[in-house]
Amino acid sequence: MKNIKTIMFALLISGAAFNCSSDDDTAPTTTPTTEPTVEFSGTYSQDDQMARPAINTVFVDASAKNTFNTTVPSAQGAAFQSAFESRLLALNAGYTTNALGWNASTFTGALATDVLTVSLEGTTTFFDGTNVLTGRALADDVISVELLLIFGGPDGSENPQLTDDHVDANDKPFSSSFPYLASPW
């Protein structure tokens, strides 16, 4: 029995000594001479497209989602503008023009091409009352702007109960450094 205890103790000590060894001092002293390569071969597919928040969700019928999501933006206007216009007029039968002065055809033509345009000069904003779709700042109230343009009429005053989501700010402050997002908690 004493021999078994001695053998077990010796195995325990050798196992602990083996697992606690440190080989950090043997780090390579040379730097790689080539950049690591990333493998991009294979078959990929585009499954979703959503440059402007809520536009795909609101204006694209469920039966057309896969087609819309895989249509290149340069072909989206021709393929989806009329469906977008029908949806706009179903949402707001009294639509004439919006605060941008755009009639239904012009507005839905802009919406159907699902890209986020960016102005390289001047103010970056989704819409600030003067600048339109010159980009998007994180604090832009995009949903309220979209509701205003859909339901607000020529001067933005029509359907006041439908033109604001009443979410006026993010619940957390944005970071002042890249990627500028707020912490999740």
Side-chain angles (χ1 to χ4, degrees), residues 132-179:
V132 180
L133 300 177
T134 57
R136 180 183 175 197
L138 286 174
D140 286 351
D141 193 350
V142 174
I143 299 300
S144 286
V145 168
E146 291 172 347
L147 291 171
L148 177 78
L149 295 175
I150 293 168
F151 297 106
D155 64 1
S157 65
E158 295 178 12
N159 303 305
Q161 71 281 12
L162 299 175
T163 58
D164 192 337
D165 65 359
H166 301 287
V167 179
D168 298 327
N170 202 35
D171 58 341
K172 300 281 184 176
F174 294 110
S175 169
S176 60
S177 60
F178 185 81

Side-chain angles (χ1 to χ4, degrees), residues 64-82:
K65 292 281 187 198
N66 288 339
T67 303
F68 183 81
N69 286 330
T70 57
T71 301
V72 295
S74 61
Q76 287 178 322
F80 292 96
Q81 183 279 324
S82 65

Side-chain angles (χ1 to χ4, degrees), residues 36-45:
T37 58
V38 179
E39 179 62 42
F40 285 109
S41 65
T43 303
Y44 298 91
S45 63

Side-chain angles (χ1 to χ4, degrees), residues 2-62:
K2 188 174 180 182
N3 287 340
I4 293 175
K5 285 183 181 177
T6 303
I7 292 171
M8 293 302 290
F9 184 73
L11 288 173
L12 180 65
I13 294 297
S14 65
F18 176 76
N19 288 326
C20 293
S21 68
S22 173
D23 58 357
D24 293 346
D25 297 335
T26 59
T29 56
T30 60
T31 56
T33 56
T34 60
E35 292 291 321
T37 58
V38 179
E39 179 62 42
F40 285 109
S41 65
T43 303
Y44 298 91
S45 63
Q46 181 174 329
D47 291 336
D48 198 4
Q49 179 167 284
M50 193 172 287
R52 295 187 192 119
I55 298 302
N56 183 339
T57 305
V58 171
F59 285 93
V60 179
D61 185 77

